[in-house]
Amino acid sequence: PSGPVLLGAGQFVGLAGHDGTGDAGIFQNPDGSLVLRFENFDIENGPDLRVYLVPGADQTSLPDGSIGLGDLEGNIGDQNYELPPGTELAPGAWTALVWCEAFSVEFVGATIVV
């Protein structure tokens, strides 16, 4: 394929009393690199929000194997998060999780099956 290929997608749900909506998808680029993409993303703002890709469905914590993708770019709008070079995702369910580092609490999550 000449462009990114969608490996799996899911919809965000609010967690721990926080509101949020949008879509999350994992894409593989032609060079083999992986990107987590948020579309139609809209969550309430919070302090020190970070993005993680967590093994398993409906995750609300950061177990071993979680992949940190950096600071949340914004609480509204489309955005991309590159996975570290060489990352290989095991087939199965993953959760795109927005996590508040300041209070160690989950904000929103989307289960994606690849």
Side-chain angles (χ1 to χ4, degrees):
S2 60
V5 174
L6 179 64
L7 301 180
Q11 293 188 321
F12 280 104
V13 295
L15 301 170
H18 300 104
D19 292 324
T21 59
D23 303 305
I26 298 174
F27 290 84
Q28 184 170 30
N29 291 316
D31 67 1
S33 64
L34 299 171
V35 172
L36 175 62
R37 177 162 175 79
F38 297 175
E39 294 182 344
N40 306 309
F41 188 66
D42 187 355
I43 69 168
E44 63 182 278
N45 206 358
D48 204 14
L49 298 179
R50 307 276 171 85
V51 176
Y52 289 88
L53 193 58
V54 182
D58 302 319
Q59 294 295 306
T60 58
S61 64
L62 299 174
D64 288 345
S66 298
I67 304 168
L69 301 177
D71 294 338
L72 183 70
E73 293 176 10
N75 64 310
I76 297 174
D78 298 349
Q79 41 203 281
N80 294 320
Y81 298 91
E82 293 183 15
L83 276 67
T87 298
E88 292 186 25
L89 297 180
W94 292 81
T95 300
L97 186 65
V98 177
W99 179 263
C100 174
E101 292 285 344
F103 295 101
S104 295
V105 68
E106 64 276 15
F107 252 61
V108 295
T111 295
I112 302 168
V113 178
V114 295

